[in-house]
Amino acid sequence: MLKYVIKGPTKGVNSSISIEGAKNCCLPLLASTVLFEDTVTLTNVNLSNDVLLTCKLLEDLGSKVEISEKNKSIKVINKKKHKLIINYKYTSRMRAVVLFLGALLSKYPKNSIQAGKPGGCSLGYRGIDFHLEGFKRLNANHTLKDGYVKISAKNGLIGNTYKFPKVSVTGTANLILSAVFAKNITTLKNISIEPEVTSLIDFLNNSAKFRFIKFKGKRTIQIKGIKKLIKGSYKVIGDRINAFSYLCVGAITRGKVKVNNINPKHLKKELEILKKIGCEIKNDNFSISINAKKKLKPTNITTGPWPSLATDNMPILMAVLATIDGKSTIKETIFSNRYMAAPELSRMGASINIKNNKATIIGVKNLFGANCICSDLRSTFAIILGAIAAKGVSKIARVYHGSRGYYQLPKKLKKLGINIKSIT
Ligand code: EPU
């Protein structure tokens, strides 16, 4: 199995890289392609493993998929009726394919759609109860048999109002997808306004004859069901989590990194935090530069739905804080088990104390290379950051978690001047 070997410490990197499109934007867009009669072209895609797996599912369902690595594009061509079963082999590997439940229900409401119910996850409890409750409001009923959710709307989908009990990114996207062709008007309240969700709204609006999805408040939208979607194209937004990850290579090495192909507005809170800890940040409309040459200061942070600090960026920041003199604290408000990088960073000598959803970090002068194991996508990058700062060699196992979202990760790190090797 693939491992990364990192020799550290690397100090004062001074380089630039370009970021791929956002994985979490590609996934709902790919699910939405089943709504279309003909071809959808996505550009600036992130050809990470989660996106490739979603393309495989699309092919399984009956769409033709053309991937161009050179052009960073995916073309999805729909000519025939889709299969209506999302096999557990997909939902067990990637929860986001549950988005196909909403999309297929929307396109084939009176048929029975089946999807393997996603199970446990390394980040903690992650239900799909909001998704199913929302579908029910639109007149679709489900049953659970042999681990599969079976859903249909015998009399068609009919618009209604649904208020999410808690902001949910995939829940919002799924409900939007399901309501596209529903009769009358659907109102969704307390929705996620993550840039990846507003991208999906923009894409659907741009592909229809008129803007049928409208904001009626900060977290409320109204969807006026339409008849058809024929063709579409969309340039995926830059990956804000990956961009932040590489900016933190600048922070942890106390160096300079310029990240291209990213909209700085999508990282407003994160950039505020980097400035607060003493990094110099410069940006234009498409790039962000960090200069972390001055002495950095500890801080206190709390995650939350966008525009707050993204929970995905928390473990990455935690690795940086572990190297800053003084006491920092973190409060995680989204997932119950998001500190999986902490014990691995502690193996390198970091001082991180976790109590419930809070972490207290006392910055140390030096980290030391160690063998570590990754257990989820973002903790992989946090562990890599620790290894970059650590004296000596770190061997990092189960890095396949990282390949789910980071495209060409070792290549990008090498470009930044990191001593990293892939071994099997
Ligand atoms: N929740 C429920 N019931 C539901 C849905 C959500 O209780 O039916 C809870 C969750 O357990 C969690 C909270 O609501 O406590 C928010 O979860 P959300 O639904 O927003 O998470 P998600 O949509 O499954 C997406 C990203 C995650 C990211 C979270 C939070 C995608 C494909 N995934 O997950 O990204 O951490 O939002 O921002 O967009 C990643 O990229 O590695 C990743 C995990």
Side-chain angles (χ1 to χ4, degrees):
M1 211 171 268
L2 188 72
K3 287 191 178 115
Y4 295 150
V5 180
I6 295 178
K7 190 161 179 257
T10 302
K11 289 190 177 157
V13 299
N14 189 355
S15 190
S16 68
I17 50 161
S18 271
I19 289 302
E20 49 279 343
K23 163 188 82 96
N24 290 347
C25 184
C26 290
L27 302 179
L29 291 174
L30 285 170
S32 80
T33 63
V34 306
L35 303 174
F36 287 74
E37 310 275 313
D38 202 330
T39 304
V40 174
T41 307
L42 304 178
T43 52
N44 193 37
V45 296
N46 178 344
L47 292 174
S48 65
N49 286 352
D50 274 8
V51 172
L52 296 177
L53 185 71
T54 308
C55 290
K56 200 133 200 16
L57 168 61
L58 266 170
E59 282 178 332
D60 247 24
L61 295 175
S63 299
K64 190 169 168 222
V65 182
E66 291 172 4
I67 300 174
S68 164
E69 187 153 13
K70 186 167 155 262
N71 299 328
K72 297 202 172 72
S73 69
I74 301 175
K75 205 182 220 185
V76 182
I77 304 148
N78 291 319
K79 290 280 178 225
K80 52 183 186 188
K81 196 171 179 293
H82 292 95
K83 266 195 242 164
L84 301 179
I85 178 155
I86 305 149
N87 198 291
Y88 180 57
K89 78 175 177 207
Y90 293 104
T91 42
S92 60
R93 285 173 67 188
M94 195 176 93
R95 301 180 57 80
V97 295
V98 79
L99 288 164
F100 282 84
L101 202 55
L104 289 171
L105 178 66
S106 191
K107 184 83 180 276
Y108 310 99
K110 294 184 182 174
N111 296 69
S112 172
I113 323 287
Q114 292 186 56
K117 192 167 193 279
C121 161
S122 54
L123 303 183
Y125 174 77
R126 285 173 90 182
I128 57 162
D129 44 326
F130 305 163
H131 306 228
L132 296 174
E133 187 54 37
F135 296 151
K136 200 167 169 187
R137 291 288 167 89
L138 300 189
N139 209 30
N141 287 307
H142 72 273
T143 54
L144 182 70
K145 192 162 182 267
D146 302 329
Y148 274 73
V149 175
K150 254 190 185 176
I151 192 158
S152 69
K154 293 277 176 273
N155 299 313
L157 291 164
I158 303 170
N160 202 342
T161 298
Y162 179 64
K163 182 173 178 191
F164 287 91
K166 185 176 177 185
V167 172
S168 164
V169 176
T170 309
T172 302
N174 222 351
L175 262 291
I176 291 173
L177 293 172
S178 68
V180 166
F181 303 128
K183 263 191 206 157
N184 308 333
I185 287 178
T186 301
T187 304
L188 300 177
K189 296 184 173 174
N190 195 28
I191 64 160
S192 140
I193 48 168
E194 259 68 5
E196 294 75 16
V197 171
T198 51
S199 283
L200 175 69
I201 294 174
D202 285 345
F203 168 61
L204 292 170
N205 274 334
N206 295 344
S207 307
K209 287 199 177 125
F210 63 100
R211 281 184 63 237
F212 68 106
I213 309 176
K214 287 190 180 151
F215 271 89
K216 294 286 169 187
K218 195 177 165 208
R219 290 192 182 273
T220 300
I221 46 171
Q222 269 187 4
I223 305 169
K224 189 172 182 329
I226 55 170
K227 292 270 179 281
K228 259 187 196 184
L229 284 169
I230 302 185
K231 284 186 177 189
S233 62
Y234 195 76
K235 183 175 177 210
V236 174
I237 57 172
D239 196 309
R240 65 194 162 104
I241 312 294
N242 294 9
F244 184 71
S245 306
Y246 291 106
L247 286 172
C248 284
V249 174
I252 208 157
T253 64
R254 309 298 191 260
K256 291 181 178 181
V257 169
K258 182 178 185 197
V259 170
N260 297 308
N261 191 28
I262 183 69
N263 181 346
K265 287 188 187 138
H266 295 165
L267 279 168
K268 199 165 168 273
K269 185 72 199 177
E270 281 80 354
L271 297 184
E272 255 173 52
I273 294 169
L274 288 176
K275 281 183 195 161
K276 201 169 161 211
I277 64 172
C279 303
E280 224 174 76
I281 301 290
K282 284 196 182 137
N283 56 261
D284 56 30
N285 290 342
F286 311 101
S287 73
I288 307 170
S289 303
I290 183 170
N291 179 344
K293 298 249 179 222
K294 287 195 192 136
K295 186 170 163 43
L296 301 187
K297 295 170 283 191
T299 192
N300 306 315
I301 55 172
T302 302
T303 62
W306 202 83
S308 297
L309 167 67
T311 170
D312 288 353
N313 280 331
M314 182 278 281
I316 292 152
L317 206 42
M318 177 169 70
V320 175
L321 296 176
T323 66
I324 299 177
D325 193 24
K327 177 176 150 187
S328 294
T329 63
I330 300 176
K331 187 172 167 197
E332 163 62 31
T333 69
I334 309 286
F335 292 115
S336 58
N337 192 26
R338 192 96 225 212
Y339 289 117
M340 293 304 280
E344 304 302 312
L345 292 169
S346 298
R347 303 195 71 248
M348 298 180 190
S351 166
I352 306 173
N353 187 14
I354 312 286
K355 237 189 204 152
N356 303 320
N357 67 337
K358 295 195 181 124
T360 306
I361 302 157
I362 308 293
V364 292
K365 204 162 185 301
N366 291 307
L367 293 175
F368 298 93
N371 291 352
C372 296
I373 297 178
C374 308
S375 52
D376 67 74
L377 168 56
R378 305 303 169 186
S379 73
T380 304
F381 207 95
I383 293 165
I384 288 174
L385 285 175
I388 289 172
K391 275 188 182 169
V393 175
S394 298
K395 220 184 254 176
I396 306 174
R398 299 195 196 159
V399 292
Y400 56 84
H401 287 290
S403 316
R404 295 183 59 170
Y406 294 96
Y407 177 65
Q408 297 186 329
L409 191 152
K411 190 173 166 192
K412 284 200 171 68
L413 287 175
K414 270 186 205 152
K415 164 98 180 26
L416 290 179
I418 305 305
N419 186 337
I420 178 170
K421 257 193 329 203
S422 300
I423 58 162
T424 45

